[in-house]
Amino acid sequence: MLSKLLKYDLQWLYKSLIIFYFFTIIFAISSHLFGLINNSLIFSLLTSLCNGISIILMISTIIYNIICLWIHFIKNIYKEESYLTHTLPVSKTKIFLAKIFSSIITLLTSIIIVIISIFICYYSNSNLQVLENVIQPILSIINVNSTIFIIFFIILIFIEVLYLIISGYLGIIIGFKSNNHKIIKSIVYGYVIYQAISLISLVFLFITALLNHEIMNLFKTTYIPSANLLKFILISIFTLYVVFIFLYSYLGNKLIKRGVNIE
Amino acid sequence: MTPTSGEVLINGQKPGVDSKRIISYLPEHTYLDKNMNITKVLEYFKTFYDNFNEEKAESLLKKLNLDKNTRLNKMSKGMQEKLQLILVMSREADLYILDEPLGGVDPATRDYIIDTILSNFKEGSSIIISTHLIADIERILDEVIFIDNGTIKLISDADELRKKEKTSIDEIFRRSFKC
């Protein structure tokens, strides 16, 4: 049943997302093709225009994906369509899991589309050299090669955005327990839940600092941390995000299982 | 809904996946995705409900002369409600719960709705109809329950109640809830 729910969730989400994917890729290709034509003012202007539109579309794709997921969640769980959702012979856990999985899958495809578009738009030996030069100082500190760094960076962005989506879901679940101003309350709760990780990270770092002199220096001085310490911090942030995604998903599921107030 | 008090048991079990399998529910609202067409909606019901009788649904739709490629957002509210009723009554359920099926529709549509309910429920099943339009369904009632502000005011066999009060249930209701 989970796969069937997932199928219908993905169908709904991709119906509009696919339009964004299409135009993002089209403008990236146009930008690349116009850029190949030298010595023309018109084509140079067109390249800049397509470049700008591509960047806007890339950012919009991710933002639209997030908003689309939240709207679909509200429509399916709390609005008129919820009368159908909650009377399907499926457990509430599966309904919620389908939302989490559809978030992971659509976000993954959106990020892949953005990466492909960036690659189409900007791939050239000179741009690669510029990127290499920009990240080289960081690479020399943490002592890893550029490929691993870029992959880790992309995964971190994916986890961060997924954390934002799940925080939103939990905010919606708590906000919709109220009888009035549900949307406003959802936004406020969602924001507080999203920010919780910053506070907890700082507390976690401070507790670790009490046991580790080098970490304490980050609080007291302007000292640049060693490669090992930087790696530790990055991996801790990554782990914390993953832990919180699981925690928020667990809480969200538990709250939904207790009952929802359909509008 | 978040329960506030009391308990509901269906076949001795609390509401859950098993009870949802045997209950066919028609809400007061239109609850289908308006961007779907009829074919997609039929496919959706077939996917999730083992007891959904597609042939029955298709033959009922044929009587309405509805094109299966029509999107729900292109249909009138009345048509959407008829479609929902067809979907609900096409399930071979043990219990049908119909919430205000006659609300906000013209008398001709009311007749269609009552006729569809009576000629399509599974034999041996039960039907719970919540309504304010008692006169329209009075002839099909076996048992009546009057509810006021979440409290049960009366439970009775329909015929016994009529005999006892020497009037129609609609009239009894009007007297009981006179403002």
Side-chain angles (χ1 to χ4, degrees), chain A residues 8 12 80 86 88 260-261, chain B residues 1-2 20 30 33 43 48:
Chain A
Y8 281 100
W12 192 93
E80 283 181 352
H86 295 298
L88 292 174
V260 289
N261 290 327
Chain B
M1 291 286 282
T2 314
K20 286 174 191 172
T30 46
D33 180 355
E43 189 195 302
F48 285 103

Side-chain angles (χ1 to χ4, degrees), chain A residues 182-201:
Chain A
K182 292 178 182 186
I183 297 288
I184 296 168
K185 283 181 184 169
S186 301
I187 294 168
V188 173
Y189 286 128
Y191 181 74
V192 171
I193 290 162
Y194 175 70
Q195 287 299 336
I197 204 165
S198 311
L199 189 72
I200 288 161
S201 312

Side-chain angles (χ1 to χ4, degrees), chain B residues 49 55 142 160:
Chain B
Y49 300 111
E55 288 84 50
D142 292 324
E160 276 176 23

